[in-house]
Amino acid sequence: TTVMKHTTSLRLALRASINIADDISNRHAELLRHSGELSAAADRLQAEEEMLSRHAEEIGMPLKHYDAVDRIGILVGVLFKGKAVVRGLAKIKVDNDDFPLLLDEIDDAVEFFGNESGGVAVLQEEMRRRRRASADGHDQMLSGSIEYFRRALALQEAALSLIREAVVDRITQTTSDVAGSLNIPKAPIAADKLEASLVYTRFHGISSRSNRLLTLVRKRLHRGDAYQELLGLCRHTYCASREKLLRMTIRAHMDKLKYQHGLVGMTRLASVFLIRICTIETSLFQDFFGEHKKNTTTAAAATTTTEEEKSTENKKETTDDGGYTDADFQGYLGALCSALHRTVRRGLVSVVDLDTLCQIVSVLREERSLASNSPTTMAAARAISSVIADSQERLIFCANSALMKEVIRFKATPSDLNYPDKLTQPKTRTAPSSSGGDDVDAAATGPAEDDAVQQQLQVYELWFPPMRSVLRILSKIFRVVEPRVFEDIARESVQACTRSLKDGSAYIYQRSGVMHADLFLVKHLLILREQLSPFDIELRSVERQLDFSDAGKAVSRFLANRNRRLFSMSTENALVTLLREGVSVQEADVDSKRDLEDSLRSACNDFIEHTSKSIAAGLFDFVEQCKGFVTKSGGSSTLKDQAFMNGETVQSILDRTLLSLEEHVVNVTSQMSLYLDNPATQSILLKPVNRKITRALDEARRYIGETTNGENGWDEELRSNVLGMMTDVESEVKRAIKTHR
């Protein structure tokens, strides 16, 4: 009984424990549910709080800009009274540390209200509508965003006007003060005192403050066109002021250099001066408009900066500042450097001396290469290039004029063509020609001439004047004009010189004989070819001419066609057809070098032909008679019966040829020695003469071999004598030519 009671009590206690555990479990589940609901509610409240905060910021942002417009007006000296904008004194200075923050607020307001209102176009349209309504007697107010956009633009204009007064007006005032102090319009500054004058010291004094303000403007170029316009105005004012101060000084210095050193010396000194001016002006421009550098670097950091970093920084500054590519600044430098072009161009008009013009071009090319090495002096390089172009143009004109006078229109006098007397009795040096500047003449009159130079000068004097002029002019302009221009001049001058040489040869032929005419032409053509070879030019071109030979027929067809369509916009237009059928373009290849070679080859062949016949005239006449008879009769069967084939006649011809051979060879070689100094050239010309005489002897042997003994005076002994004489003539020709070569 006790055990059962105890068991019952335990069972009841266990059931109570189970009930308590179930209750605790139920409460725990309820607690978890409530905790989840609280967590979700907390997240929702946090999201709502963020959303409300964001809405509050969105609502407050326009108010910030509205407040900024209302607050900043007094600071920049602007009051808004209805439609009017009243300008007064600004309370803030551009040097104030808060001024950049003020600009940021104004720019933000302009951007915000511009986006809200629709931009400047909408504002202008509303203003026009407002003016029309006012004209009709109905006064209308602008909507809030448009009105505040108008006010923000007015504040921005007022703020930028403060910068404009601090930079533009300061530059203008400084320019007036310097010009008044130095009396610059009437008294230019000496070039050696220019860098230390007020022209630079006063501008260096205002450059730091101006650079700081312009840096503010440059960093805000993306905020609107107003900053672009202000920066452009500052640059334009700066360049105009600098040009006003320096223009007369630079021009006066150029004129002084020209007066003291002449045109050639002036070009070098003036170029160096302009390069220096461009360098210091670019440096001053960078002080105003370059990157503003704040002095916040510690000494330790400064000592760790490497040279490579400095060069990289300078390169970046050059690229970012735009001083070397700014149109206004480069135009200003170009205006300063134009003084060189002005002075030199005025001097070039009166210069006809080719040497002087060549020196000017050479000097300017050297200075241009120096100026082109640095971006700071590119304006000087461009100015020098324009002067080079004018100098080359003047040089080409003078060279063409000299060639026209001394070559193309040259009229030879008897003394010019007094060959061979001119070679045996050389004349003294003549005065320089009107084209001027012959370096050969200058050397001849110099105090340091020697025998070798004098002999060379005498050789030059023996040349035909047109060829001497061509080679002198071409040698001078070769390095100082453009290659294509030089080739055109060389081609025309070589053609004219060759024609003049041929005309001179014809005159000498009538005066002194064929041998002197041939040797004159060969000598000068050889010299011309030899002297032209260092130029390494082609002397080739294509000449185009209009051919009107079919114009008459084309006009007749045009008039005969009654269905002419004059206003047709196609290829069937009658006028187009008339031009196409009546006018054609004829092209011709001109190769002066080839023509020169052909002329030389022809002259050499003529000399060989004439010399061969002069040495063995009877022999060549005999051969020509034989050839002529064979050609005329159509066969050689009756040639042996002709009178000129008589044995004694042939023997007498060879006898006379053999007797006069030595004399003729001596005469030929002596004349060749007068005209041709090079023995190799003489040998080259004499070898074909020997071969030609040998061929004539071979042909004569062939014709004589066709004769028959006992007919026309021929027998075996005579034949043997004649053939032996031919062998003697051949041997004697070779010996005589070899001896006198």
Side-chain angles (χ1 to χ4, degrees), residues 185 216 226 335 364 582 645 661 689:
L216 295 177
L364 289 173
M645 285 295 294
L661 182 63
V689 174

Side-chain angles (χ1 to χ4, degrees), residues 295-310:
N295 190 18
T296 59
T297 308
T298 62
T303 56
T304 59
T305 303
T306 63
E307 292 297 330
E308 182 178 358
E309 291 172 346
K310 291 181 180 179

Side-chain angles (χ1 to χ4, degrees), residues 65-66 68-73 76 78-85 87 106 109-110 113 117 123 127 130 141-159:
H65 297 306
Y66 282 100
V69 171
D70 294 335
R71 175 175 51 85
I72 294 174
V76 296
V78 175
L79 295 177
F80 300 101
K81 294 184 177 180
K83 304 176 185 178
V85 178
R87 299 289 295 272
I106 295 176
V110 170
F113 290 119
S117 62
L123 175 61
M127 293 297 293
R130 181 176 178 180
M141 296 297 294
L142 297 176
S143 62
S145 59
I146 296 179
E147 174 63 22
Y148 271 84
F149 182 47
R150 180 180 71 87
R151 294 186 179 187
L153 290 176
L155 294 178
Q156 188 182 58
E157 181 182 357

Side-chain angles (χ1 to χ4, degrees), residues 100-101 237 424 496 519 537 581 595 640 646 729:
L101 300 177
T237 304
T424 57
L519 287 173
I537 51 179
E581 295 178 353
D595 295 341
K640 59 183 179 180
N646 184 271
V729 169

Side-chain angles (χ1 to χ4, degrees), residues 304-526:
T304 59
T305 303
T306 63
E307 292 297 330
E308 182 178 358
E309 291 172 346
K310 291 181 180 179
S311 62
T312 304
E313 182 180 354
N314 292 334
K315 183 177 181 180
K316 182 178 183 299
E317 176 183 329
T318 301
T319 305
D320 294 342
D321 294 344
Y324 305 143
T325 58
D326 181 72
D328 289 335
F329 181 63
Q330 291 300 320
Y332 153 65
L333 290 182
L336 293 184
C337 296
S338 65
L340 174 65
H341 184 267
R342 164 184 168 271
T343 305
V344 174
R345 186 175 179 85
R346 287 164 52 188
L348 287 175
V349 175
S350 59
V351 176
V352 296
D353 183 30
L354 294 181
D355 281 337
T356 301
L357 292 171
C358 291
Q359 291 176 15
I360 291 174
V361 175
S362 300
V363 169
L364 289 173
R365 280 183 168 178
E366 294 177 6
E367 298 302 327
R368 181 178 63 180
S369 64
L370 295 177
S372 301
N373 292 333
S374 173
T376 61
T377 56
M378 290 304 298
R382 289 191 294 270
I384 294 174
S385 296
S386 64
V387 179
I388 290 175
D390 287 344
S391 302
Q392 288 177 330
E393 182 179 354
R394 179 64 181 176
L395 175 61
I396 293 169
F397 171 78
C398 293
N400 284 328
S401 299
L403 290 172
M404 180 66 68
K405 177 182 179 182
E406 301 177 16
V407 181
I408 299 176
R409 296 180 179 176
F410 176 77
K411 300 296 182 182
T413 62
S415 61
D416 294 329
L417 295 171
N418 188 23
Y419 291 88
D421 296 341
K422 193 174 183 179
L423 301 176
T424 57
Q425 298 177 357
K427 296 183 179 181
T428 58
R429 295 288 294 162
T430 58
S433 62
S434 59
S435 63
D438 192 353
D439 50 354
V440 173
D441 298 337
T445 58
E449 59 187 8
D450 51 18
D451 293 340
V453 174
Q454 186 63 31
Q455 291 176 1
Q456 190 65 36
L457 296 179
Q458 291 178 357
V459 171
Y460 294 153
E461 183 62 26
L462 297 179
W463 292 357
F464 193 45
M467 190 187 73
R468 190 169 62 239
S469 299
V470 167
L471 295 177
R472 186 190 71 244
I473 294 173
L474 292 182
S475 63
K476 289 180 179 180
I477 68 174
F478 176 53
R479 298 294 183 185
V480 292
V481 298
E482 298 301 323
R484 286 196 291 182
V485 175
F486 175 80
E487 189 163 342
D488 289 341
I489 296 176
R491 184 180 62 254
E492 295 177 1
S493 60
V494 168
Q495 290 176 347
C497 181
T498 304
R499 289 193 298 268
S500 181
L501 288 173
K502 291 181 179 179
D503 295 341
S505 176
Y507 176 85
I508 294 174
Y509 172 76
Q510 297 177 355
R511 184 178 181 274
S512 303
V514 64
M515 181 179 297
H516 294 289
D518 292 340
L519 287 173
F520 167 83
L521 190 57
V522 170
K523 169 188 175 69
H524 286 86
L525 290 177
L526 282 173

